Amino acid sequence: MVTALASLAVEQHLTRIQNNDEAKARHYDRAQTLILRALDDPGLLEAISGTSDENQKHRRYRQLWFNHVEMIFRQRRFFDRQHWQGTLNDIRSFMNMPAMRDHWGSHGHYYAGDFRRFMDRDILGIVAEAPLAGAPPIAD
């Protein structure tokens, strides 16, 4: 009985490690696909950097990047501390591009609250202001 429980625990641990590795591999595959797609179509690379005229193709491509970042956020439990910190640095670098900041400013409200808080607080460094003492609540 003890051997069976120990075996089960080891098997679960190994499965968890394998799932983590597979999630990281999928993350890198998706990032590579987006990057290679941009290299095949320089207009898409311009869409991220914001050096091109605005059109639907560019907006949609930027939206794909944000959807990719949200998938990474949703899978954050699969990252160990070192890989997660590196991923955060990559996302921050990505968000330093003016076109991406503008796109987030215009379209970020469509995302779930936890992802918006993550982007605003952890990536962009926006700290919500505390309400003034004694101020009435904001009416909707």
Side-chain angles (χ1 to χ4, degrees):
M1 180 73 161
V2 172
T3 304
L5 287 175
S7 176
L8 180 62
V10 168
E11 184 177 326
Q12 286 180 335
H13 177 71
L14 293 175
T15 300
R16 199 172 15 247
I17 290 172
Q18 181 179 358
N19 288 342
N20 289 348
D21 290 342
E22 288 173 3
K24 288 177 201 170
R26 285 191 305 271
H27 159 67
Y28 291 119
D29 286 344
R30 287 188 304 262
Q32 181 180 20
T33 299
L34 286 170
I35 291 167
L36 292 177
R37 177 77 174 117
L39 293 176
D40 287 341
D41 186 346
L44 293 177
L45 192 56
E46 290 175 1
I48 291 176
S49 66
T51 59
S52 64
D53 293 329
E54 183 67 24
N55 66 39
Q56 186 176 13
K57 176 175 124 175
H58 296 151
R59 282 191 310 273
R60 288 188 177 173
Y61 192 69
R62 286 193 294 265
Q63 194 63 46
L64 281 174
W65 271 97
F66 278 106
N67 292 346
H68 174 66
V69 171
E70 184 180 22
M71 284 190 290
I72 293 168
F73 170 72
R74 300 279 170 224
Q75 294 178 345
R76 64 194 179 277
R77 69 182 181 280
F78 293 126
F79 290 83
D80 58 36
R81 189 177 304 256
Q82 180 181 3
H83 284 103
W84 182 242
Q85 190 58 51
T87 300
L88 288 177
N89 291 339
D90 290 343
I91 296 170
R92 286 183 188 115
S93 176
F94 161 74
M95 287 304 296
N96 279 329
M97 293 183 248
M100 299 312 292
R101 280 186 176 258
D102 290 345
H103 191 86
W104 178 251
S106 298
H107 298 89
H109 63 278
Y110 292 112
Y111 287 92
D114 61 339
F115 181 64
R116 287 193 318 266
R117 283 186 298 278
F118 162 73
M119 288 296 291
D120 291 342
R121 184 189 64 224
D122 298 339
I123 301 302
L124 299 173
I126 299 171
V127 178
E129 292 184 33
L132 297 174
I138 298 172
D140 289 333

